[in-house]
Amino acid sequence: MTSTFRTLTVPLDGNASAGGLPQFLVRDDVLCWTRREAGLVGFGEITRFTATGPERFLEADIWWRHLVLEADITDSVVLPGTGPVAFGSFAFSKKSAHESRLIVPEIVVGVRDGQYWLTQLTLDDGELTREGALAALDRWLSGGSTAPAPAAAGGTPGEVPAPAGGAVVRPVPLAAGATMHTGSLSEEDWMAAVTAGVAEIRTGALEKLVLARDIVATVPSGVNAAKVLRELAVRYRECWTYGVDGLVGATPEMLIQVEGRTAQARVLAGTLDRRDAHGEDGLPMEYAERVLAGSEKQRHEHEIAIQSLTSQLAPFSEAMNAHDEPFILELPNVWHLASDVKAELTEVEGHVPTSLALINALHPTAAVCGTPTEVAGALIRKLEHLDRGPYAGPVGWLDAAGNGEWGIALRGAVIEDPHTVRLYAGCGIVDGSLPEAELAETWAKFRPMLESLGIAN
């Protein structure tokens, strides 16, 4: 046996269907990154890296680059996400005890612009062939117990809700006997934390603070992670649905996407619950533009988030552009003020920075922490009484070329055991924030996960 890392990537013909990538979400242990039927799904694990502390991103980057440096790569597709791939999830805080991780799967299915591919990865010395890769995929799919598996190459995919245009999104049956419990803070104590945060902001110590809270859901019938991921992928097509080692969710916020020398990000700050539009005059989007885009408080919060990202990305960029005005991002549960940022990367110390190197510079942004970062981080630890773990940390994937997509792990939860899920939600706090309104916003942000679990709220 040898420790040489080897990969084979081949086209996966005959699998283009309305179901797209979500049709492969048939196992509770699946690794997942998908949006609008495209993305990556991974099965199995051949190796992983874990780390804690302030150097976790750089340590992971070094480990990955060493792993792929002398890899034997056969790739007949040659797209971002082909060849060697690792899925990752990182702790929000440098002080967290939660282990950040990169996981290298055995099998990866990718979809991009309607093109499907299959990658097999190994540290063993057996021959890699197309037939062997297809057989390995079939083995993983047929081992899934949560939905019928699609054919490995051609045929009819499993019966999953099709997210393509015109599909009907069916209600999720309510989970029998499911209950919700208080997390680290009661609602009253969390609102008191918001009040304390606003008081600190008014002293001038900081401009913005992001406070999170958690709730715990117990599902006696069991948590079906694959079903949760499929529901999120179908309902929240404008978000990036992720699943890594028990962390599941659908984030609307892209921390950084890297393809060659181009980096892109989507920044969100400013939220309006869509339920607030019920009974209002005019069209819902007009209401969102009037209340959200017309709010000085919401726009101020958004400007802080944009300035945070662009200032941290600037040293790595030779050119950058961002929207002059934020746009309204419409999701099934909320509206957000959103801005897209695009940058052309420059060489740093002789090479273009990898996606993990950029994460090291960018995280945490004001959108999930506050500003100034160090002051906000210390206040978060004081007021939240919560180790966020992977919540609001980077989640996504990278390939051997340093390309990758890393979202911020929002609108998500950690599956703690077969019957227990811990959900997280947070709000940006600025001068003028009202505790009751911020609490209501957290419930709007819990809604995607609660609905996918079959829990009414």
Side-chain angles (χ1 to χ4, degrees):
M1 179 176 289
T2 177
S3 59
T4 302
F5 184 31
R6 297 181 301 118
T7 70
L8 171 68
T9 301
V10 296
L12 189 59
D13 300 323
N15 281 83
S17 72
L21 200 63
Q23 69 183 294
F24 292 93
L25 301 175
V26 297
R27 295 181 58 95
D28 286 346
D29 57 0
V30 72
L31 297 159
C32 167
W33 179 266
T34 177
R35 179 177 185 253
R36 294 181 181 173
E37 298 84 62
L40 300 173
V41 166
F43 301 95
E45 178 182 328
I46 63 170
T47 188
R48 73 166 55 198
F49 172 83
T50 61
T52 58
E55 303 301 318
R56 60 199 183 283
F57 303 115
L58 294 180
E59 290 172 6
D61 195 26
I62 291 169
W63 177 84
W64 177 244
R65 283 189 282 139
H66 283 173
L67 184 64
V68 302
L69 183 62
E70 298 182 357
D72 181 359
I73 303 169
T74 302
D75 184 355
S76 61
V77 180
V78 193
L79 289 171
T82 63
V85 168
F87 291 80
S89 164
F90 288 83
F92 167 79
S93 173
K94 62 186 178 183
K95 296 182 180 295
S96 174
H98 177 82
E99 286 189 333
S100 299
R101 62 207 64 187
L102 287 180
I103 301 173
V104 182
E106 177 193 346
I107 289 290
V108 175
V109 176
V111 181
R112 183 186 177 101
D113 298 328
Q115 183 174 1
Y116 287 62
W117 67 85
L118 173 65
T119 300
Q120 186 170 17
L121 308 93
T122 184
L123 291 171
D124 297 335
D125 59 357
E127 184 182 8
L128 291 179
T129 65
R130 176 184 176 84
E131 293 71 23
L134 288 169
L137 174 61
D138 185 63
R139 170 170 49 84
W140 282 106
L141 293 177
S142 62
S145 59
T146 59
T156 302
E159 184 66 30
V160 297
V168 175
V169 178
R170 298 185 295 273
V172 182
L174 291 181
T179 56
M180 288 186 290
H181 314 274
T182 297
S184 300
L185 289 176
S186 68
E187 291 189 347
E188 292 75 15
D189 287 341
W190 190 80
M191 286 191 290
V194 172
T195 299
V198 172
E200 287 290 329
I201 290 169
R202 288 174 176 168
T203 68
L206 71 167
E207 195 171 6
K208 177 185 175 180
L209 173 69
V210 179
L211 288 178
R213 58 184 287 254
D214 62 334
I215 57 173
V216 179
T218 300
V219 184
S221 58
V223 179
N224 186 324
K227 182 180 179 182
V228 167
L229 290 171
R230 290 197 304 273
E231 293 290 346
L232 290 170
V234 168
R235 295 167 184 275
Y236 290 83
R237 296 185 67 245
E238 295 304 310
C239 297
W240 291 268
T241 296
Y242 58 86
V244 179
D245 229 16
L247 173 68
V248 295
T251 181
E253 189 151 2
M254 174 67 73
L255 176 61
I256 199 73
Q257 176 194 61
V258 177
E259 291 187 10
R261 300 184 75 104
T262 301
Q264 299 185 75
R266 171 162 288 182
V267 181
L268 307 181
T271 304
L272 180 62
D273 190 343
R274 291 191 61 170
R275 288 182 178 176
D276 291 346
H278 292 177
E280 294 290 333
D281 294 332
L283 296 174
M285 186 60 78
E286 293 175 349
Y287 172 77
E289 290 172 351
R290 183 173 71 253
V291 176
L292 191 58
S295 166
E296 183 178 344
K297 169 189 172 293
Q298 301 276 22
R299 291 181 69 92
H300 176 58
E301 181 185 343
H302 188 80
E303 288 168 4
I304 293 171
I306 284 290
Q307 291 170 5
S308 167
L309 178 92
T310 54
S311 64
Q312 289 166 300
L313 188 57
F316 303 91
S317 307
E318 57 187 33
M320 187 187 309
N321 63 68
H323 289 138
D324 292 332
E325 286 288 320
F327 63 92
I328 303 291
L329 177 64
E330 183 178 13
L331 300 177
N333 61 324
V334 296
W335 290 288
H336 286 296
L337 284 181
S339 292
D340 288 336
V341 177
K342 186 174 183 179
E344 292 303 312
L345 299 174
T346 188
E347 291 189 0
V348 178
E349 297 181 354
H351 62 83
V352 176
T354 65
S355 57
L356 282 179
L358 290 175
I359 288 173
N360 183 63
L362 296 175
H363 179 80
T365 66
V368 292
C369 179
T371 186
T373 302
E374 290 299 324
V375 177
L379 195 54
I380 284 171
R381 290 188 292 273
K382 176 183 176 182
L383 296 178
E384 281 186 355
H385 300 278
L386 169 70
D387 185 341
R388 292 185 179 183
Y391 168 72
V395 60
W397 63 270
L398 79 163
D399 65 16
N403 302 313
E405 292 181 288
W406 296 93
I408 299 174
L410 306 174
R411 314 300 143 81
V414 173
I415 301 173
E416 297 187 334
D417 64 46
H419 301 279
T420 308
V421 184
R422 188 175 298 271
L423 294 77
Y424 298 85
C427 299
I429 309 302
V430 294
D431 190 5
S433 292
L434 301 175
E436 294 80 4
E438 303 300 335
L439 180 67
E441 183 177 315
T442 64
W443 280 111
K445 291 175 175 178
F446 283 134
R447 201 175 302 143
M449 280 303 308
L450 290 173
E451 289 175 346
S452 298
L453 289 165
I455 300 174
N457 127 300

